[in-house]
Amino acid sequence: MLANVLCFGLSGIDGFQVRAEVNVSFGLPGFEIVGLPDAAVRESRERIRSAMQNSGYEFPDNRITINLSPAERRKEGPAYDLPMAAGIIAASGDLPAKCLEDTAMIGELSLDGAVREVRGALPMAIAARAAGIKHLLLPIGNIREARCVDGISIYPVPSLRAAVAHLNGSVPLKAVKPVSYEQLLGERQTTSDFRFVKGQAAAKRALEIAAAGGHNVLMIGPPGSGKTLMARCLPSILPDMTFEEALEVTRIHSAAGSVPESGLLTERPFRSPHHTASHASLVGGGSLALPGEISKAHNGVLFLDELPEYRRDVLEALRQPMEDGFVTITRVSAQSTYPSRFMLVASMNPCPCGNFGSRLKPCRCSPLEIKRYLARISGPLLDRIDLHIEVEGIPAEQLADTCEEEPSASIRARVEAARARQRERYAGERIHSNAELDARTLPKFSRLSEAGRDLARKACETMQLSNRAYTRVLKVARTVADLAGSEEILPEHIADAVQYRSLDRKYWG
C-alpha cells in the first residue's frame, strides 16, 4: 500500500517542500530510503523502528521503500523522522490516507516515540504557508519560533502517538494561537543603556551618528575606558526591526540551530565572537555550509573586541560581506547564500600596552612596537570603517559623579527621526540607510553646498584619503545632516564627518 506525507527540507535559510512517498509491499523484509538522503536521514530507519514499537505500533515485516521527492535535492537532518513514521503507519492500514491531506509534519523521533525539535523550523513553516498547506505539525520545542507565522494552523506535537491520534481525529491537538509582533516587542527587556556610561560625550555622539546611518565604527582607546560597554549599549539606540526584518534574522538563527528561548528575535542581534574565532565560525562554513557570526549579526551589530588580535585572514574575509551585504558559502556537498548586512563595531588599544596617548598612564612601547601592532589592521579594511573614534580614559572622580547621563531612549528618538528621513528619501530604492549608498546613488542623494564641496575636496587632499575613504566621509556627512534636519550637506556637516577620519593620518599615516 502507498501513502504520501508532506514534509519540508532546509536549504540555507529557505525551506522547500518534500513529499515522502511510503510504499509497504510483499517481499523480503527490508527498509530502504531513496531520494538523495544524507547519513542522518538514513539512520532514521532505526529511530523509526524503535519509536513505532515503543509507541504501541507494529512495525511491518514487509518491504518498505520510502522516496523523498524531489529526488535531485539533497535531504539533510532528522526532520523527516515523523513524516516517514506516519507514512509507514498509513501505508500499513492503521491510518486513513485522507487524514494526511493538506497536512505537513516535521520532527525528529527519539527511541521512545517522543518528537524532538529540529533545526530550521521557522523557514519550513514559512515555506509551508507559501505552498498553501493548511495544517502543520511541529515539535513542541519549535513552537515559540513559529508562533508568529499566521495563515496556517500549527499544532505542537509531543509524540508519535499524539500525532497519529490527532490525524485520525480521536484526540485532536489544539492549534497554537498566533502572537502579534507588537506583543513580542512589548515583552522584551533591554539591560544595556547609555545612562550607565559616564562621560565619553564625543564617543557617544559618534555612536549616535553610526546608529543613525548604519555606519561601521572603530574605537581606539586604553583598557577600561568603556569601549566594550558602549558597544553593548549600541543596540539600545537602534530603531526597532520591522516584522519582516525580525523574520529574516530569526530564519538565519533557526537555520543555525541557535534560536533564543523567546522564539522570534525582537531586538537587533549583537554578536561578539572571541578573537580566536576561526574563518568558518565567523564567515560561515562547515560540511553543511551553516551561517557564521556575520550572518547571525544580520540587521544588527557585529562587535570585534581587540581587533588586532584576530587572525589576518579572518579580518580580510570581512571585506566582501561588508560591501555586498551577503556571503556565499560553497562546500562539496552544499552551497548557501546568507544575508550579512551588519554594523561592524570594533575596538582596539592604541599600542600593545594600551596606554599610547593616555593622559593617565605612561606608554611603555617603542615606536616600532606600536607600528607593528597597528599594521595588523590592513588599509583596505580600515577604509571600509566609516568612523574612527578616540576614546579617552575616565578619571576616578568622574566615575564617582552621581549626575544622570542621557538615557538611550532620548538618543534613540533622534536616531529614529534620522532613519525616518532616510526611509522617505530612499522610497523606491533598495536602500535601508545612508551606509548603503553606492556610486550610483551617492551623488543623487548627497547634495553638497558649494562651500561643503570645497571643504571636502581640501580635506581629501590634505589627509590623502583614498577614494573609498572619501565616499565614507560623504556618507557620514549625509547622516550628520539628517540628524540636524538638513537636506543639504553644509560645511559643518563635512567638518564633523572629516574628524572621524583623523586616525588615517595620526596612526597609519
Side-chain angles (χ1 to χ4, degrees):
M1 186 176 177
L2 179 66
N4 292 308
V5 185
L6 294 176
C7 50
F8 283 84
L10 184 67
S11 176
I13 60 171
D14 298 314
F16 62 93
Q17 184 172 321
V18 176
R19 182 180 297 273
E21 302 170 343
V22 183
N23 186 63
V24 177
S25 60
F26 294 106
L28 292 175
F31 192 164
E32 191 70 28
I33 301 175
V34 297
L36 213 58
D38 72 345
V41 179
R42 290 193 295 269
E43 289 174 354
S44 65
R45 293 177 294 190
E46 302 307 319
R47 292 194 297 270
I48 292 172
R49 187 191 307 271
S50 298
M52 288 181 60
Q53 292 173 344
N54 290 323
S55 298
Y57 299 103
E58 183 178 351
F59 191 82
D61 260 344
N62 298 60
R63 182 162 188 82
I64 302 172
T65 304
I66 301 179
N67 177 42
L68 299 176
S69 175
E72 73 273 6
R73 299 198 69 167
R74 187 170 180 80
K75 318 302 185 307
E76 300 171 342
Y80 306 98
D81 288 5
L82 178 60
M84 288 193 292
I88 293 174
I89 294 172
S92 301
D94 295 330
L95 182 65
K98 65 178 183 180
C99 298
L100 301 174
E101 296 176 358
D102 296 325
T103 301
M105 57 190 77
I106 301 163
E108 175 187 350
L109 289 176
S110 63
L111 298 185
D112 62 355
V115 179
R116 294 176 174 171
E117 62 186 270
V118 296
R119 179 175 61 88
L122 177 60
M124 296 180 192
I126 295 174
R129 180 185 61 181
I133 293 172
K134 298 179 180 179
H135 310 284
L136 177 64
L137 276 61
L138 281 182
I140 292 178
N142 292 121
I143 291 299
R144 292 188 69 86
E145 66 183 273
R147 58 181 175 165
C148 284
V149 181
D150 56 0
I152 184 173
S153 298
I154 298 178
Y155 302 90
V157 181
S159 65
L160 175 60
R161 175 167 285 278
V164 175
H166 169 77
L167 291 170
N168 63 26
S170 60
V171 186
L173 297 171
K174 187 177 181 181
V176 175
K177 184 179 180 181
V179 178
S180 67
Y181 183 56
E182 289 71 21
Q183 179 180 339
L184 293 177
L185 284 176
E187 295 175 355
R188 68 178 182 180
Q189 295 180 350
T190 303
T191 56
S192 299
D193 197 294
F194 273 105
R195 63 191 174 97
F196 300 124
V197 181
K198 296 294 183 181
Q200 303 294 5
K204 290 178 183 178
R205 166 65 177 168
L207 291 176
E208 178 181 340
I209 295 172
H215 302 290
N216 302 320
V217 178
L218 172 63
M219 293 184 285
I220 298 183
S225 56
K227 301 186 296 295
T228 301
L229 176 59
M230 287 189 288
R232 293 189 179 278
C233 291
L234 187 57
S236 67
I237 65 173
L238 291 172
D240 287 335
M241 289 190 291
T242 63
F243 179 56
E244 290 72 21
E245 288 177 327
L247 273 181
E248 187 177 33
V249 173
T250 309
R251 284 168 60 198
I252 297 171
H253 285 253
S254 179
S258 59
V259 176
E261 293 184 2
S262 60
L264 193 73
L265 276 80
T266 54
E267 187 172 356
R268 293 187 181 273
F270 180 89
R271 307 295 300 185
S272 180
H274 193 260
H275 64 260
T276 58
S278 65
H279 182 284
S281 65
L282 193 67
V283 179
S287 59
L288 301 180
L290 295 178
E293 291 293 330
I294 64 172
S295 296
K296 294 177 184 178
H298 179 61
N299 287 333
V301 175
L302 176 68
F303 178 51
L304 302 183
D305 198 7
E306 303 297 341
L307 188 65
E309 303 300 328
Y310 287 82
R311 282 172 25 198
R312 183 68 174 259
D313 65 309
V314 171
L315 292 181
E316 296 307 306
L318 295 176
R319 287 158 51 180
Q320 184 177 354
M322 288 170 66
E323 290 288 336
D324 298 339
F326 65 89
V327 60
T328 299
I329 309 299
T330 303
R331 294 295 181 267
V332 173
S333 59
Q335 176 176 322
S336 301
T337 298
Y338 299 107
S340 58
R341 191 175 61 248
F342 56 88
M343 281 181 60
L344 175 64
V345 179
S347 69
M348 61 180 291
N349 297 326
C351 66
C353 79
N355 297 320
F356 177 62
S358 173
R359 295 175 296 181
L360 304 178
K361 294 182 180 180
C363 177
R364 305 189 304 270
C365 305
S366 68
L368 182 59
E369 288 175 325
I370 296 174
K371 187 173 182 179
R372 286 176 177 172
Y373 181 76
L374 297 177
R376 297 179 186 178
I377 312 300
S378 69
L381 178 62
L382 189 67
D383 268 352
R384 287 169 169 83
I385 300 178
D386 304 344
L387 293 90
H388 309 156
I389 311 170
E390 292 185 89
V391 182
E392 293 286 347
I394 301 297
E397 58 270 17
Q398 190 172 353
L399 291 175
D401 192 355
T402 58
C403 293
E404 186 83 8
E405 298 286 342
E406 185 178 22
S408 292
S410 301
I411 304 173
R412 184 177 186 172
R414 297 193 294 268
V415 170
E416 289 182 335
R419 287 290 185 110
R421 294 187 184 95
Q422 293 170 45
R423 285 193 298 270
E424 181 179 355
R425 181 187 304 123
Y426 305 135
E429 301 277 352
R430 300 186 65 178
I431 298 175
H432 301 84
S433 62
N434 290 332
E436 298 178 30
L437 292 170
D438 55 22
R440 179 185 65 86
T441 55
L442 185 60
K444 178 180 177 182
F445 295 110
S446 298
R447 190 174 73 252
L448 278 73
S449 66
E450 191 63 33
R453 187 176 294 104
D454 291 341
L455 180 59
R457 185 175 59 253
K458 291 178 182 177
C460 183
E461 294 172 355
T462 303
M463 300 177 64
Q464 297 181 347
L465 298 179
S466 67
N467 291 340
R468 181 181 285 115
Y470 174 69
T471 60
R472 301 279 171 177
V473 169
L474 295 185
K475 293 177 185 180
V476 173
R478 175 68 275 169
T479 301
V480 175
D482 286 339
L483 285 169
S486 172
E487 194 60 34
E488 188 178 40
I489 300 178
L490 303 176
E492 54 265 32
H493 305 146
I494 292 291
D496 205 357
V498 165
Q499 68 172 323
Y500 298 117
R501 302 299 309 189
S502 60
L503 299 183
D504 287 339
R505 179 179 56 186
K506 182 172 181 180
Y507 291 100
W508 280 266

